[in-house]
Amino acid sequence: MARRAPESDPAQDAPEVGAPQHAAAGIPAVVQSLRTAGAQMSARRTLATLRRVNQPDGFDCPGCAWPEPDRPHVAEFCENGAKAVAEEATERRIGREFFAAHPLSELAGRSGYWLGQQGRLTEPLLLDEGTDHYVPISWDRAFGIVAEELGALGSADEAAFYTSGRTGNEAAFVYQLLARRLGTNNLPDCSNMCHESSGSALVETLGVGKGSVRLKDLHQADLIIVAGQNPGTNHPRMLSALERAKRAGARIVSVNPLPEAGLERFKNPQTPRGLVGGGTRLNDLFLQIRLGGDLALFRALNLLLLEAEDENPGTVLDRDFIAEHCLGFEEWAEDARSTSWDAVLAATGLPERQIRELATLVLGSRRVIVCWAMGLTQHKHSVPTIREVVNFLLLRGNVGRPGAGVCPVRGHSNVQGDRTMGIFERPAEAFLDALGREFGFEPPRHHGYDTVDTIRAMRDGRVKVFFAMGGNFVAASPDTLATEAAMRRCRLTVHVSTKLNRSHVVTGVRALILPTLGRTDLDRTTKGRQFVTVEDSMGMVHASRGALRPPSAQLLSEVAIVCRLARRVLGPQDEVPWEDFAESYDAIRDRIARVVPGFEDFNERVRTPGGFALPHGPRDSRTFPTATGKANFTVNALTAPEVPPGRLLLQTLRSHDQYNTTVYGLDDRYRGIRDGRRVVLVNPDDARELGLDDGAYADLVSEWSDGVERRAAHFRVVHYPTARGCAAAYYPETNVLVPLDSTADTSNTPTSKSVVVRFEADSGQD
Ligand SMILES: Nc1nc2c(c(=O)[nH]1)N[C@H]1C(S)=C(S)[C@@H](COP(=O)(O)OP(=O)(O)OC[C@H]3O[C@@H](n4cnc5c(=O)[nH]c(N)nc54)[C@H](O)[C@@H]3O)O[C@H]1N2
Ligand SMILES: Nc1nc2c(c(=O)[nH]1)N[C@H]1C(S)=C(S)[C@@H](COP(=O)(O)OP(=O)(O)OC[C@H]3O[C@@H](n4cnc5c(=O)[nH]c(N)nc54)[C@H](O)[C@@H]3O)O[C@H]1N2
Ligand SMILES: [Mo]
């Protein structure tokens, strides 16, 4: 049976449940920000640090990828940004005494929460073959071990180089260069589990795998549809943008199985109105959709638009735009007309009247934006779902003009930039051509492994060295037990990290932890103070400068780690000036400027306050760099998850007190949950049918065609107003339930928002 160390300690995990809230932020958020920071550092350090978040001369918040406004507020951060900052800027440290006192066998039984709370890592560590303790080693020896293990491989493709989206552009660029000079495109990243479905759908339909709106477009929109996203928790600063749009007259519609507080009402802590008043009501319409019902919803909306055009020809569709810029409309329309309302209503669980109400809002809005996040990307049919969203926007020419467009809201603060820098297992030929030209070599052309394929390859012994630039691969990946077993088969696992996490205690035969500087830390080399750059969710590139004294003199920046490792692995004859790169990030940026389109004069332009915008053909000039040279309508068969009787569909999502696998605390304030994370939210009617009382404990068992039993034990049932047939529980506790082979078509993203589960009698705590 599935048994593993929990993310939170069972002894502490005693959830208390109150009523969900109906407004986000306000004074409690301010109090919470200061309290979290205060638990990790002195008042002086708190103030000095928080003052610099998201300011032009400060550092980019290591939280989410939401952009900064042109004129940031003096406190341009949110409660959850403050938690992310405090987590990194903490004054707690762990060094050799800690690892001497705690053998691996003990650490492997600790919760992820406990591991993260111990403090910042201070020196490189080795866990050698057959030993039970991490011991300090020199950087030289650490790089020597990586070189030795890479050298022993039959081919470079037996190594995989993972990236989590916090890594800055400069480190990402040299990191992918190292992998490709070794000869592999095995560059899996967190994006494979995140917005890969968005990228796949947008590249095919619009030609650019990124959002097409800027912050000012949100402010100008008439209608903003927020589907499958919980900004109150995960992108709190987005609420300020929604509030501004709303005050300018926009309508906001949320599409979600859960009534998320942040989308109901926002009390902006930066305004008196928000602090003492009732705040601003945000959504005009809430469609409580079933999990995975969005494809059906957008098909239905599109059908209604076609019918409205039939009734009043020439008034609904943007015929000129479609004729000039799009392909595939006729074929698409023919299929769209066959949409069955029965199928739509079954898939969405919505009353037809509500869908018609939304269609009326759409018809009354000239400028429409659709925002989305993991609720749309982590299903089997995510790519067709997002393609259908694109169809919806194309119909009325809502791409490439002010106040309109696609807005996939990215997760990690630089996940979009990392991809721009070439962190991708399936790089474009043009990128490889430019890279090869710049550095005088022939990069590997065959595609590499993404995250799921890396796990399969480790499991099957085809990948033997796993290197991670940040992140927490073991806890973030699906099918925890399978992933852990795969990691353990490696010869060597290496983690560049700021703090201890689960992935450091589930190791290969040998393991290294390489401690690094974070966003908040001062980064100084012999060439002076360095800064890094990041790209936000809307394609703005800007500088990020840390200022805190690093937790230990031994830490190296991510850039320095990659460059010193590269020299060691590739040898003294390698022509890339790795030493120059390690000392001067300008030298790296000069190369990026020559390899990556849009980064011309990078060093100059990034020094202007606020940075610069990357070009985006569809947004800037309605040019669509797709295979056809046009924006493509696509035919997407109406599908929805099938759930056998007596089962529920489970989504795995974030609480208000976590950053992905980093657990800050045990509360989920807006949802009324306190002091515990092992909860499962179930609609009261479903619960009654299944005989699940509120407060009862049960095991969740997922059902998948391979017959393997995947169980997450001991979850408290919470009766909660989620859509019928749909349950919700937190990630990463429930990753054990997500089958490795259950992935989205085309993007291969794990289906973390559609897991078929049954409930069984509680088998006790993990
Ligand atoms: N504080 C904080 N900030 C974060 C993160 C964090 O963990 N903590 N994580 C960062 C990262 S990497 C990412 S990717 C983003 C994630 O940001 P989100 O995508 O907002 O994160 P989730 O908690 O996964 O929430 C998914 C939302 O989609 C809804 N949903 C689920 N399935 C469906 C569906 O089928 N249809 C519809 N319409 N809705 C659905 C859920 O009810 C929930 O409201 O946030 C980033 N920012
Ligand atoms: N079931 C389920 N699984 C999911 C998801 C879900 O919704 N449901 N969401 C998926 C998504 S959207 C994502 S993006 C992934 C996230 O996957 P990852 O990016 O791999 O995971 P994180 O938890 O963000 O990684 C946190 C770790 O990064 C390290 N770290 C923090 N800051 C730095 C830094 O500056 N440098 C370095 N080198 N290390 C640092 C710390 O050790 C910390 O423990 O998880 C995915 N997994
Ligand atoms: Mo993400």
Side-chain angles (χ1 to χ4, degrees):
M1 186 187 295
R3 280 286 182 265
R4 63 178 295 267
E7 286 308 312
S8 42
D9 292 303
Q12 291 176 12
D13 205 284
E16 282 183 27
V17 179
Q21 300 187 358
H22 299 286
I27 287 177
V30 178
V31 171
Q32 203 53 45
S33 306
L34 297 175
R35 188 181 294 157
T36 320
Q40 302 283 348
M41 51 187 165
S42 70
R44 210 166 129 225
R45 191 174 165 99
T46 301
L47 219 71
T49 313
L50 291 182
R51 216 171 36 113
R52 296 172 43 78
V53 184
N54 293 333
Q55 300 298 323
D57 62 341
F59 61 90
D60 182 62
C61 179
C64 71
W66 190 255
E68 281 76 56
D70 291 344
R71 280 189 306 279
H73 191 274
V74 282
E76 189 57 44
F77 61 89
C78 66
E79 172 191 347
N80 281 347
K83 290 177 192 163
V85 168
E87 181 78 15
E88 181 178 299
T90 177
E91 287 171 310
R92 299 180 197 163
R93 305 281 176 265
I94 44 175
R96 55 188 69 195
E97 307 75 25
F98 175 89
F99 291 97
H102 300 280
L104 186 77
S105 46
E106 180 211 320
L107 295 175
R110 294 287 188 173
S111 69
Y113 180 43
W114 188 91
L115 294 173
Q117 287 299 308
Q118 301 312 303
R120 287 284 298 271
L121 294 157
T122 52
E123 53 191 338
L125 299 160
L126 167 68
L127 178 88
D128 213 346
E129 183 161 4
T131 66
D132 197 25
H133 283 270
Y134 272 106
V135 295
I137 51 161
S138 69
W139 282 105
D140 270 350
R141 174 118 173 75
F143 296 138
I145 288 170
V146 183
E148 192 182 302
E149 295 288 354
L150 288 174
L153 298 178
S155 109
D157 288 329
E158 292 176 7
F161 296 87
Y162 177 72
T163 313
S164 166
R166 221 177 253 197
T167 293
N169 288 332
E170 293 73 13
F173 186 78
V174 289
Y175 187 55
Q176 61 82 33
L177 179 61
L178 166 60
R180 295 195 165 111
R181 279 186 86 81
L182 283 167
T184 185
N185 284 314
N186 288 346
L187 287 156
D189 70 347
C190 65
S191 199
N192 299 144
M193 301 184 265
C194 184
H195 266 293
E196 200 66 60
S197 304
S198 307
S200 301
L202 294 176
V203 165
E204 181 186 347
T205 54
L206 301 179
V208 181
K210 302 180 181 182
S212 75
V213 301
R214 306 268 298 271
L215 208 45
K216 63 175 192 289
D217 293 309
L218 276 156
H219 300 154
Q220 295 170 13
D222 297 324
L223 175 67
I224 302 172
I225 299 177
V226 182
Q229 193 203 345
N230 178 22
T233 284
N234 298 313
H235 307 91
R237 288 182 302 112
M238 177 175 171
L239 299 186
S240 308
L242 293 179
E243 182 187 42
R244 185 162 162 189
K246 184 85 194 200
R247 298 188 86 79
R251 306 295 184 93
I252 296 173
V253 175
S254 68
V255 182
N256 203 308
L258 297 175
E260 305 284 26
L263 287 166
E264 294 186 53
R265 190 166 274 283
F266 174 48
K267 298 184 177 178
N268 190 339
Q270 295 170 347
T271 64
R273 184 175 65 239
L275 285 179
V276 294
T280 309
R281 169 143 207 102
L282 290 182
N283 63 358
D284 296 274
L285 184 64
F286 167 44
L287 299 191
Q288 187 160 30
I289 197 166
R290 288 210 170 133
L291 290 168
D294 305 84
L295 171 52
L297 171 66
F298 280 94
R299 276 197 64 127
L301 287 174
N302 291 340
L303 172 66
L304 293 173
L305 293 181
L306 280 180
E307 289 175 356
E309 171 78 5
D310 292 343
E311 273 168 38
N312 292 296
T315 63
V316 173
L317 305 186
D318 187 340
R319 290 276 177 191
D320 293 344
F321 173 77
I322 294 172
E324 193 180 341
H325 295 290
C326 304
L327 278 183
F329 171 77
E330 295 303 337
E331 196 190 337
W332 169 82
E334 193 185 317
D335 179 72
R337 287 180 194 285
S338 73
T339 304
S340 135
W341 272 101
D342 285 346
V344 167
L345 300 183
T348 60
L350 296 170
E352 184 176 334
R353 145 187 73 70
Q354 273 198 342
I355 301 178
R356 290 188 180 276
E357 199 181 333
L358 176 52
T360 307
L361 280 179
V362 174
L363 288 170
S365 308
R366 248 194 65 66
R367 303 157 180 229
V368 181
I369 290 175
V370 183
C371 301
W372 73 88
M374 297 305 99
L376 257 55
T377 64
Q378 297 176 334
H379 292 282
K380 180 166 168 40
H381 58 307
S382 283
V383 175
T385 299
I386 297 162
R387 287 196 305 227
E388 197 62 26
V389 170
V390 172
N391 290 337
F392 165 74
L393 291 167
L394 291 177
L395 282 176
R396 289 175 44 94
N398 274 310
V399 175
R401 60 182 168 78
V406 287
C407 184
V409 182
R410 307 298 303 250
H412 270 296
S413 53
N414 196 42
V415 63
Q416 186 158 312
D418 290 345
R419 187 55 67 81
T420 309
M421 291 299 115
I423 304 290
F424 195 22
E425 73 284 355
R426 291 172 283 135
E429 290 295 315
F431 175 85
L432 294 178
D433 292 345
L435 191 71
R437 217 179 303 119
E438 178 64 23
F439 293 99
F441 78 119
E442 182 45 47
R445 298 283 167 166
H446 58 285
H447 289 174
Y449 299 133
D450 63 9
T451 292
V452 166
D453 285 339
T454 295
I455 298 167
R456 292 178 176 139
M458 294 194 295
R459 174 194 66 194
D460 301 341
R462 285 176 284 121
V463 158
K464 302 187 176 100
V465 173
F466 175 83
F467 192 105
M469 183 55 71
N472 186 356
F473 191 83
V474 160
S477 294
D479 222 339
T480 314
L481 295 185
T483 298
E484 291 191 349
M487 284 285 266
R488 290 198 165 102
R489 281 208 65 187
C490 288
R491 277 290 312 162
L492 175 70
T493 50
V494 188
H495 287 90
V496 178
S497 187
T498 48
K499 296 190 101 180
L500 198 57
N501 69 37
R502 178 88 192 141
S503 300
H504 310 152
V505 299
V506 178
T507 69
V509 176
R510 293 208 274 180
L512 288 165
I513 302 176
L514 307 180
T516 192
L517 300 177
R519 283 279 168 79
T520 51
D521 298 318
L522 182 67
D523 185 355
R524 199 184 282 286
T525 70
T526 57
K527 295 270 165 56
R529 187 173 168 190
Q530 303 297 313
F531 65 87
V532 301
T533 63
V534 293
E535 174 185 341
D536 68 30
S537 200
M538 297 181 179
M540 291 292 299
V541 179
H542 63 88
S544 175
R545 297 176 173 83
L548 296 177
R549 188 151 62 89
S552 129
Q554 285 216 50
L555 299 195
L556 295 181
S557 68
E558 292 183 343
V559 170
I561 291 173
V562 175
C563 292
R564 286 180 56 177
L565 175 65
R567 176 58 74 206
R568 184 62 181 258
V569 171
L570 297 168
Q573 74 291 346
D574 191 73
E575 285 141 27
V576 175
W578 298 105
E579 290 74 14
D580 297 348
F581 287 173
E583 296 301 323
S584 160
Y585 301 176
D586 279 353
I588 302 173
R589 283 187 284 267
D590 283 341
R591 302 305 189 99
I592 294 172
R594 289 206 287 268
V595 172
V596 188
F599 285 82
E600 299 75 19
D601 301 321
F602 189 6
N603 271 310
E604 197 184 307
R605 287 195 295 153
V606 82
R607 283 177 164 81
T608 56
F612 61 94
L614 289 176
H616 187 290
R619 180 194 67 206
D620 302 336
S621 56
R622 290 190 157 177
T623 44
F624 297 93
T626 58
T628 61
K630 300 271 185 189
N632 294 312
F633 277 92
T634 53
V635 173
N636 305 298
L638 198 167
T639 52
E642 279 171 31
V643 186
R647 289 9 180 200
L648 295 179
L649 198 61
L650 176 79
Q651 64 156 321
T652 62
L653 81 181
R654 293 153 174 81
S655 86
H656 194 63
D657 262 3
Q658 72 184 83
Y659 192 91
N660 297 339
T661 67
T662 303
V663 174
Y664 301 133
L666 303 180
D667 297 346
D668 193 3
R669 198 168 74 237
Y670 298 151
R671 298 195 186 108
I673 314 288
R674 281 182 39 215
D675 291 331
R677 292 180 45 85
R678 295 184 84 82
V679 291
V680 57
L681 314 183
V682 183
N683 180 291
D685 293 333
D686 290 324
R688 262 187 291 280
E689 280 181 21
L690 295 169
L692 298 167
D693 291 337
D694 186 89
Y697 278 80
D699 284 9
L700 305 178
V701 182
S702 81
E703 298 190 347
W704 178 248
S705 50
D706 62 4
V708 173
E709 182 181 290
R710 297 180 176 83
R711 177 183 299 264
H714 195 61
F715 276 68
R716 185 201 189 277
V717 173
V718 178
H719 288 190
Y720 198 88
T722 173
R724 281 302 301 268
C726 305
Y730 302 131
Y731 132 75
E733 283 81 351
T734 46
N735 285 41
V736 70
L737 299 173
V738 185
L740 184 64
D741 293 332
S742 176
T743 61
D745 298 336
T746 311
S747 66
N748 209 24
T749 295
T751 59
S752 305
K753 299 290 189 273
S754 324
V755 186
V756 175
V757 292
R758 64 172 188 270
F759 289 73
E760 285 193 1
D762 178 24
S763 65
Q765 293 182 347
D766 259 3

